Amino acid sequence: MALSICNPSLFSPHSLHRFKLNPLLLRLGITSRRWSPSSSKSRKRAYFSVVASDGEVFTSPETAKSFDFASEERIYNWWESQGYFKPSFDRGGDPFVIPMPPPNVTGSLHMGHAMFVTLEDIMVRYFRMKGRATLWLPGTDHAGIATQLVVEKMLASEGLKRTDLTREEFTNRVWEWKEQYGGRITNQIKRLGASCDWTKERFTLDDQLSRAVIEAFVRLHEKGLIYQGSYMVNWSPNLQTAVSDLEVEYSEEPGALYYIKYRVAGGSRSDFLTIATTRPETLFGDTAIAVHPEDERYTKYIGMQAIVPQTFGRHVPIIADKHVDKEFGTGVLKISPGHDHNDYHLARKLGLPILNVMNKDGTLNEVAGLYSGLDRFEARKKLWSDLEETGLAVKKEPYNLRVPRSQRGGEIIEPLVSKQWFVTMEPLAEKALHAVEKQQLIILPERFEKTYNHWLTNIKDWCISRQLWWGHRIPVWYIVGKDCEEDYIVARSSEEAHLKAREKYGRSVEIYQDPDVLDTWFSSSLWPFSTLGWPDVSAEDFRQFYPTTILETGHDILFFWVARMVMMGIEFTGTVPFSYVYLHGLIRDSQGRKMSKTLGNVIDPIDTIKEYGTDALRFTISLGTAGQDLNLSMERLTSNKAFTNKLWNAGKFVLQSLPSRSDASAWDQLLSYKFDTEELLLRLPLSECWVVSELHELIDNVTASYDKFFFGDAGRGIYDFFWGDFADWYIEASKARFYDSENQTDAIIAQAVILYVFENILKLLHPFMPFVTEELWQALPNRKRALIVSNWPQTLLPRDVKSIKKFENLQALTRAIRNARAEYSVEPAKRISASIVASTDVLDYISSEKQVLGLLSRLDLQNVHFIETVPDYAKQSVHLVAGEGLEAYLPLADMVDVSTEVQRLSKRILKMQSEYDALIARLSSPSFVEKAPEEVVRGVREKAIEAEEKLKLTKNRLSLLESSVSVRG
């Protein structure tokens, strides 16, 4: 989740006094130089101090062969120690605040965490560099079920059960566990480079957040939106608690379909209905048998009674319902409303009784008669055996089941009617739907808007109570001796509850608190504003901060969490808690499968960081498309590790190219060069004008992508420019400047340009790859502040389209010459002659980069000629067309030993001709073409076409060489 807070009007001079007193800002610790002039100098020093000379923190490409991943933790600790993660208003700008979606306190880092941490940190680092006072509030969730399970397992290792302790003793043990182990996930998130303000870390059971949860419950109850009742829920027999839909995972597992006879009451022995069920033990809870009204097999039985097997003759009605699937099983449906979600809703619609046959621990109760006390699965086996003995078992056949299992404990979940607390969702959902309809809330990608609307339109009331001991205790107190469903007190504290109870029932009244706790998702739905101080901070204070906000999260919890936060935000603050919802996908393995321990395809982020580095991991998982799942492969990680190394080596070259740190005059001259006007840009030589122009275009494109949250586009754009334009072309071209001792002016310009371009690349790339970019930044001389808080590159800078086109022609010419060298196997170190033919205006700018062309193409500069007509030796040359109006002629004799090459090609042509003839012979054979598989014939035909093309090209080369020998002879 990412929540930014922005309201430009708050920063006008007329609003400073009001802003200083705003309790939300005071709670966030935002008391900056902008509003406290007396503290400006100390704050500025703390914020902008850089210790590039501190060898214990940073290493330089000048001394290190490659970037050392072990230095990442040192860099991170340095950032934190310098206070860079805290908001600062020294440069002005609107605030940007993100409450982190709280990971479970029991959790350990997985790729899902890596995804959300990376994307949110990209946002935070970008907006921090843009000058906005940025606060990322970290925190963890108390994770009721997961944490209680962990501690119960710990107790079991000591021979204890939870019930062996008092509730207070148990919760004390949980707090002890939390203090000892709860910081693991936090430390792992730090390894990803999360630039959170850890001094403001939150926990969902903190006092302030707990007050928010209790306040929300009380207010919703006062409005009549919270009620208590017995309804169908997901029940965990081992934990003996209700669980949310999100905590139930369905898996395809082998099972069985049981066919059972139900005799028709009053009929003959041949009058019976056969039902097919996967859970025969629930038949004790049957309250009806249903058939389709148009199913001719059973219409005669509609309105009669069926006898439920093994119940000593209990009768249930045979009814007709059009929702019965005539094709499934036998077309007869047993209705067990107490143990199936669909049956439950059907029973409520038809007015059927609801019969529960199961205890909370998964054993059958007294309704099951002789099977009472048996575990549900033991009862299933015994029941089937007894049905076989009585002749009521028809058959049992294998059947794949969709089994609901607890996400935490792994046990099979039971649909069960249970008394719980619920929130009425329809009036809350209506406002959340209007927020999207009125575009107060924008969902990205837009396709998820339909899913959001569908879920809220068909929303069910929310079961918010859990039968646990760890969590927010439900703020309800019952009256001793009175009906707990009729007489209870809702209060913010036990003191308030006692006061209310005495006012209503007299001073001698005794009360006790509801033993249940609230669903963890209830507290999480309040996270955006409870972390920022609600209810201590008024709704009015929040509303002025919400105009520009962002929520970033996975699309898999769009409904369970995002929609609920929207509803709660509107309810308690009067507005949506964010303006944009940015949804990322899941990270899958290289084959597109969901990562699971069962498949053995889980990729551990910490192990990945150790092998590939944090930057490579972050860059890899951030290049996906919003909302789309990402297939993570080792090949991508390896490639981006190479990208890190390439960046490091580029930094090494840049540093080697710059003047000595002690040469003050050289640095004064170098830093005097500016590139922010068209006039200054056009003074540059072609190569420099090209790379600066391309950089300025990149800055605009990347900035626009960041602003639209198109992080994949931004990352790919930077990658392509750095590797393709800067490393492969400009660094190589700049060597011509540095190696030319006669032209010192161009060398100094090249130094200024290479430093300017490289430092801007580091800035653009920093949100993605913070560690290696900061390390390289600190190695550059004359750094006035850390990269993490440096200014974002200026946009709308000049670029010269003509220079870009001219350099592209130079690139095309270079590629053509390189290809010819490769084709004729010219030794890399060998310099060759060339004649460049073009019009006068083209020759002017191509010849101006003669040194660059010669270096990049390995040309003999003494024998490079720029002419407007075809040279005399054209027939003995390789003719290259680099572009419209730009050609080159490379003398063959300068490239190869012609006689030797003629002999070699002649032999090669004979071999190629033989291979081609063999392919043609196969294709000419009717038996092959008619009998061989179609894909085999197609493959041979494609090989023949390719062989023919290669043969033709080789013959042309031979002809050219032979004509050269003939002319020379």
Side-chain angles (χ1 to χ4, degrees):
M1 174 184 68
L3 171 67
S4 72
I5 297 178
C6 166
N7 189 335
S9 66
L10 293 174
F11 298 90
S12 67
H14 302 291
S15 66
L16 293 186
H17 177 70
R18 174 174 61 86
F19 200 78
K20 281 192 338 184
L21 299 179
N22 189 297
L24 176 55
L25 286 181
L26 294 175
R27 177 170 294 277
L28 297 179
I30 301 178
T31 54
S32 73
R33 178 173 70 88
R34 190 163 182 173
W35 297 280
S36 304
S38 61
S39 63
S40 64
K41 292 183 179 179
S42 61
R43 286 183 178 276
K44 193 167 185 177
R45 280 200 300 272
Y47 194 60
F48 293 137
S49 62
V50 177
V51 286
S53 60
D54 188 349
E56 294 183 1
V57 177
F58 296 101
T59 57
S60 170
E62 292 176 298
T63 58
K65 182 178 180 181
S66 61
F67 178 59
D68 183 5
F69 304 148
S71 65
E72 292 175 350
E73 290 188 75
R74 295 199 305 274
I75 297 171
Y76 187 89
N77 293 337
W78 179 75
W79 282 328
E80 190 172 11
S81 70
Q82 298 298 306
Y84 294 144
F85 298 162
K86 298 179 181 180
S88 172
F89 287 89
D90 282 69
R91 291 175 290 161
D94 305 327
F96 180 85
V97 180
I98 304 179
M100 176 186 287
N104 287 352
V105 70
T106 60
S108 59
L109 198 68
H110 56 65
M111 281 299 173
H113 294 127
M115 172 71 90
F116 92 72
V117 169
T118 295
L119 291 175
E120 290 182 23
D121 197 46
I122 287 173
M123 295 180 192
V124 167
R125 289 178 184 272
Y126 170 67
F127 285 111
R128 184 185 290 122
M129 295 176 74
K130 288 280 282 187
R132 295 174 69 169
T134 304
L135 174 62
W136 188 6
L137 281 167
T140 48
D141 190 283
H142 64 277
I145 292 177
T147 307
Q148 184 159 314
L149 267 174
V150 168
V151 176
E152 287 198 43
K153 288 179 181 178
M154 183 182 70
L155 289 174
S157 67
E158 302 173 17
L160 295 173
K161 297 179 181 178
R162 168 169 53 105
T163 51
D164 294 333
L165 307 177
T166 65
R167 182 168 187 149
E168 184 179 3
E169 289 172 337
F170 177 78
T171 53
N172 286 339
R173 293 292 295 268
V174 181
W175 277 110
E176 289 173 7
W177 179 92
K178 190 263 181 185
E179 293 305 314
Q180 185 173 358
Y181 301 105
R184 177 176 57 174
I185 186 69
T186 293
N187 292 329
Q188 291 176 329
I189 286 174
K190 289 182 177 182
R191 290 287 283 115
L192 286 166
S195 54
C196 310
D197 185 354
W198 295 104
T199 64
K200 297 180 176 64
E201 186 175 3
R202 302 288 189 260
F203 180 54
T204 48
L205 287 182
D206 286 348
D207 289 344
Q208 191 277 316
L209 275 70
S210 296
R211 285 200 305 277
V213 172
I214 300 307
E215 184 67 26
F217 186 98
V218 172
R219 291 193 189 185
L220 289 173
H221 186 270
E222 288 174 348
K223 292 187 69 172
L225 295 176
I226 283 184
Y227 64 94
Q228 188 180 41
S230 295
Y231 298 94
M232 177 71 72
V233 296
N234 301 310
W235 186 260
S236 172
N238 285 353
L239 291 167
Q240 294 195 37
T241 180
V243 296
S244 75
D245 290 342
L246 186 60
E247 291 157 340
V248 178
E249 294 181 339
Y250 291 87
S251 60
E252 294 291 329
E253 301 178 20
L257 198 58
Y258 300 84
Y259 292 79
I260 304 171
K261 289 181 181 179
Y262 281 56
R263 300 193 186 281
V264 177
S268 65
R269 293 181 62 86
S270 62
D271 288 318
F272 61 85
L273 299 174
T274 300
I275 63 95
T277 179
T278 60
R279 301 162 68 213
E281 69 279 5
T282 62
L283 63 78
F284 300 107
D286 290 354
T287 57
I289 299 296
V291 297
H292 195 279
E294 299 174 1
D295 194 332
E296 297 178 356
R297 294 172 294 177
Y298 309 119
T299 51
K300 63 181 179 180
Y301 296 125
I302 296 173
M304 300 179 71
Q305 299 276 314
I307 303 172
V308 180
Q310 303 301 105
T311 61
F312 303 100
R314 185 167 66 85
H315 292 189
V316 295
I318 301 171
I319 63 174
D321 191 275
K322 63 181 181 179
H323 292 100
V324 175
D325 184 356
K326 293 190 291 183
E327 306 303 320
F328 175 75
T330 61
V332 183
L333 176 70
K334 62 186 285 297
I335 300 177
S336 310
H339 301 279
D340 182 272
H341 288 284
N342 293 327
D343 290 0
Y344 175 77
H345 293 296
L346 182 61
R348 294 191 67 183
K349 182 184 74 172
L350 300 176
L352 296 172
I354 296 172
L355 197 57
N356 176 30
V357 304
M358 197 171 293
N359 296 313
K360 300 293 186 181
D361 62 358
T363 60
L364 300 194
N365 61 25
E366 64 279 359
V367 176
L370 297 175
Y371 303 88
S372 175
L374 290 178
D375 173 78
R376 51 186 166 158
F377 302 117
E378 292 177 6
R380 182 181 299 176
K381 293 178 183 177
K382 178 172 172 51
L383 175 60
W384 183 248
S385 176
D386 293 345
L387 289 171
E388 287 179 318
E389 287 186 13
T390 58
L392 295 178
V394 178
K395 64 178 179 177
K396 172 185 172 183
E397 61 184 22
Y399 186 76
N400 283 334
L401 304 176
R402 189 168 180 262
V403 180
R405 289 192 176 273
S406 168
Q407 186 186 60
R408 303 302 175 193
E411 65 168 326
I412 295 178
I413 293 297
E414 286 291 337
L416 204 65
V417 174
S418 175
K419 188 173 76 171
Q420 305 286 343
W421 288 94
F422 294 84
V423 176
T424 302
M425 300 302 288
E426 189 173 344
L428 300 174
E430 185 178 356
K431 296 176 183 177
L433 283 166
H434 288 162
V436 171
E437 182 183 344
K438 296 175 182 178
Q439 292 195 318
Q440 297 167 345
L441 177 67
I442 307 297
I443 298 176
L444 303 171
E446 292 182 4
R447 68 179 184 278
F448 286 107
E449 183 179 316
K450 292 181 180 178
T451 318
Y452 171 92
N453 290 339
H454 174 78
W455 187 76
L456 285 176
T457 302
N458 299 279
I459 198 168
K460 299 184 294 183
D461 286 355
W462 179 10
C463 174
I464 58 170
S465 50
R466 298 292 180 263
Q467 291 63 54
L468 302 171
W469 282 3
W470 173 247
H472 293 106
R473 191 89 171 261
I474 289 180
V476 170
W477 283 262
Y478 302 109
I479 314 302
V480 174
K482 292 188 177 292
D483 187 340
C484 63
E485 293 191 17
E486 298 293 333
D487 298 277
Y488 61 83
I489 302 293
V490 176
R492 293 171 177 82
S493 65
S494 59
E495 292 78 14
E496 183 182 332
H498 274 102
L499 181 61
K500 286 184 174 181
R502 285 195 293 267
E503 289 176 353
K504 188 174 182 180
Y505 298 102
R507 298 192 63 82
S508 61
V509 69
E510 291 184 48
I511 63 174
Y512 61 95
Q513 190 172 359
D514 193 307
D516 290 353
V517 300
L518 288 162
D519 176 18
T520 303
W521 291 104
F522 186 85
S523 59
S524 295
S525 68
L526 307 171
W527 183 256
F529 38 94
S530 63
T531 53
L532 298 175
W534 186 87
D536 298 343
V537 176
S538 70
E540 288 71 22
D541 288 323
F542 276 97
R543 280 197 291 273
Q544 60 184 321
F545 281 90
Y546 278 145
T548 305
T549 60
I550 301 167
L551 171 76
E552 184 278 323
T553 187
H555 64 67
D556 53 327
I557 55 173
L558 173 62
F559 325 117
F560 299 103
W561 188 44
V562 177
R564 287 169 178 171
M565 283 190 289
V566 174
M567 288 185 277
M568 293 298 192
I570 295 173
E571 176 66 23
F572 296 121
T573 68
T575 188
V576 291
F578 24 77
S579 299
Y580 295 90
V581 175
Y582 175 91
L583 299 168
H584 67 72
L586 301 176
I587 297 186
R588 300 180 178 274
D589 70 7
S590 58
Q591 300 176 43
R593 301 174 301 175
K594 191 173 183 179
M595 293 185 188
S596 71
K597 293 180 180 178
T598 305
L599 293 174
N601 62 345
V602 174
I603 301 175
D604 187 301
I606 299 300
D607 292 341
T608 305
I609 286 171
K610 290 176 182 176
E611 184 174 354
Y612 298 94
T614 302
D615 292 318
L617 174 60
R618 286 172 57 117
F619 195 70
T620 301
I621 62 180
S622 60
L623 294 190
T625 303
Q628 296 287 346
D629 292 351
L630 176 72
N631 294 352
L632 182 63
S633 68
M634 295 302 105
E635 289 77 11
R636 288 189 182 185
L637 287 166
T638 300
S639 173
N640 289 324
K641 181 181 179 182
F643 179 41
T644 306
N645 291 335
K646 187 76 170 179
L647 196 68
W648 188 260
N649 289 331
K652 187 186 297 287
F653 178 82
V654 171
L655 288 171
Q656 292 170 348
S657 305
L658 295 176
S660 169
R661 293 173 185 267
S662 60
D663 191 343
S665 61
W667 275 100
D668 287 342
Q669 186 177 7
L670 187 153
L671 295 175
S672 68
Y673 283 96
K674 305 298 178 185
F675 313 101
D676 54 355
T677 68
E678 185 175 1
E679 180 185 2
L680 293 173
L681 180 67
L682 294 177
R683 290 180 186 175
L684 298 175
L686 176 59
S687 296
E688 283 67 30
C689 187
W690 163 76
V691 75
V692 171
S693 294
E694 290 282 36
L695 172 69
H696 290 170
E697 184 171 358
L698 174 75
I699 291 171
D700 287 355
N701 292 337
V702 166
T703 302
S705 293
Y706 272 118
D707 286 337
K708 292 184 288 189
F709 314 113
F710 292 173
F711 303 123
D713 291 350
R716 283 185 289 272
I718 302 166
Y719 181 97
D720 291 343
F721 174 81
F722 167 76
W723 203 298
D725 292 344
F726 183 69
D728 285 355
W729 285 98
Y730 184 68
I731 281 183
E732 295 305 312
S734 69
K735 293 175 182 177
R737 315 295 193 210
F738 302 139
Y739 298 164
D740 186 0
S741 59
E742 296 180 1
N743 194 336
Q744 288 301 304
T745 300
D746 280 0
I748 294 171
I749 292 173
Q751 287 175 330
V753 166
I754 203 168
L755 176 62
Y756 173 73
V757 175
F758 189 63
E759 67 181 8
N760 277 288
I761 288 172
L762 295 181
K763 287 182 178 183
L764 296 175
L765 194 55
H766 178 75
F768 289 95
M769 306 176 79
F771 292 108
V772 68
T773 53
E774 185 72 79
E775 187 98 296
L776 288 166
W777 180 267
Q778 294 294 335
L780 297 174
N782 297 290
R783 301 301 94 194
K784 295 181 179 179
R785 57 168 64 114
L787 179 58
I788 188 176
V789 290
S790 65
N791 293 325
W792 187 255
Q794 184 181 342
T795 56
L796 301 177
L797 291 170
R799 80 242 15 219
D800 182 39
V801 177
K802 292 182 179 179
S803 292
I804 292 175
K805 178 61 179 174
K806 290 175 182 178
F807 193 83
E808 286 174 352
N809 285 340
L810 182 65
Q811 287 176 307
L813 180 59
T814 301
R815 290 191 188 98
I817 296 172
R818 286 175 172 177
N819 290 339
R821 291 178 63 103
E823 185 179 352
Y824 283 89
S825 303
V826 180
E827 293 180 4
K830 185 176 182 179
R831 301 281 177 168
I832 62 174
S833 305
S835 289
I836 312 302
V837 180
S839 60
T840 303
D841 57 331
V842 174
L843 290 177
D844 283 345
Y845 67 77
I846 295 292
S847 61
S848 72
E849 293 291 2
K850 179 179 179 180
Q851 296 286 343
V852 172
L853 178 63
L855 183 66
L856 298 181
S857 304
R858 297 291 184 186
L859 299 179
D860 178 4
L861 292 181
Q862 301 300 320
N863 289 292
V864 175
H865 308 286
F866 298 93
I867 55 179
E868 297 182 44
T869 58
V870 177
D872 295 337
Y873 56 84
K875 292 183 178 180
Q876 297 91 49
S877 302
V878 176
H879 178 211
L880 307 175
V881 178
E884 187 176 351
L886 179 59
E887 303 172 64
Y889 290 85
L890 310 180
L892 274 170
D894 214 27
M895 294 177 24
V896 296
D897 183 320
V898 177
S899 299
T900 302
E901 186 67 6
V902 166
Q903 293 177 12
R904 189 183 71 82
L905 289 180
S906 297
K907 291 179 181 179
R908 178 164 177 74
I909 287 171
L910 289 175
K911 182 179 179 182
M912 293 174 69
Q913 186 70 54
S914 176
E915 293 171 351
Y916 173 70
D917 291 343
L919 292 170
I920 293 300
R922 291 186 71 187
L923 293 171
S924 301
S925 169
S927 60
F928 171 73
V929 175
E930 294 171 5
K931 296 180 180 180
E934 183 179 347
E935 62 271 16
V936 174
V937 175
R938 184 168 57 250
V940 172
R941 188 171 286 116
E942 290 173 355
K943 286 182 179 179
I945 294 172
E946 183 180 355
E948 184 180 24
E949 291 176 351
K950 289 182 177 179
L951 182 61
K952 183 178 180 181
L953 289 172
T954 307
K955 285 181 176 180
N956 289 340
R957 282 185 59 190
L958 179 61
S959 298
L960 178 61
L961 290 169
E962 287 175 338
S963 66
S964 175
V965 172
S966 174
V967 171
R968 291 171 64 192

